[in-house]
Amino acid sequence: MNSGKPQKEPFTNSYVIIFSSDEDAEMIYWLAYSLWQMKFWHQHLIGSVIPFIRIQNFKSEFDQKVNQLLYDFEQHQKDIDAIKALELQKEHLEKNLKLINELKKCILSRYCR
């Protein structure tokens, strides 16, 4: 169910969009990320074994969303800044959880000796 999921690097069976500037790429990346997170593309998926989006459907729907974004660009910038901050917090918490689990394993390994 990764159809529509944006990535920084191309991968097999994916569409690649090339931008003239890094700022444009970053702006559109976060729009695509938001659509994917909200499962926007699920309504456009076809295929029963490996779901995918037709390129024409992607182009028309994504173009509409980009135009909406440009209409209220300031709000989009605020939203993206908030999402980035939340992603950093999430990464930090995941790192802490990993460390906690490692410490727990170290403590519990004493019983296996």
Side-chain angles (χ1 to χ4, degrees), residues 45-77:
L45 293 177
I46 58 170
S48 58
V49 178
I50 300 174
F52 66 97
I53 304 168
R54 287 192 172 113
I55 189 75
Q56 276 311 113
N57 289 356
F58 179 83
K59 284 180 183 179
S60 64
E61 293 295 326
F62 198 67
D63 190 46
Q64 288 177 11
K65 293 298 180 183
V66 168
N67 287 334
Q68 288 175 2
L69 167 141
L70 292 175
Y71 179 73
D72 193 5
F73 186 71
E74 278 186 35
Q75 184 60 45
H76 172 70
Q77 283 299 113

Side-chain angles (χ1 to χ4, degrees), residues 12-100:
T12 307
N13 295 327
S14 65
Y15 304 128
V16 176
I17 303 172
I18 300 171
F19 297 93
S20 58
S21 72
D22 288 341
E23 290 112 18
D24 289 345
E26 189 73 10
M27 176 185 67
I28 297 301
Y29 170 85
W30 286 104
L31 171 64
Y33 178 82
S34 301
L35 292 172
W36 176 74
Q37 279 292 121
M38 296 308 299
K39 300 181 182 353
F40 174 79
W41 298 112
H42 284 203
Q43 62 188 330
H44 301 286
L45 293 177
I46 58 170
S48 58
V49 178
I50 300 174
F52 66 97
I53 304 168
R54 287 192 172 113
I55 189 75
Q56 276 311 113
N57 289 356
F58 179 83
K59 284 180 183 179
S60 64
E61 293 295 326
F62 198 67
D63 190 46
Q64 288 177 11
K65 293 298 180 183
V66 168
N67 287 334
Q68 288 175 2
L69 167 141
L70 292 175
Y71 179 73
D72 193 5
F73 186 71
E74 278 186 35
Q75 184 60 45
H76 172 70
Q77 283 299 113
K78 290 177 186 175
D79 293 343
I80 295 310
D81 291 341
I83 290 171
K84 285 180 181 179
L86 290 170
E87 282 294 315
L88 284 173
Q89 283 286 1
K90 179 184 167 189
E91 289 173 14
H92 182 69
L93 289 172
E94 287 172 347
K95 185 178 177 182
N96 283 341
L97 280 173
K98 186 177 177 181
L99 290 172
I100 288 169

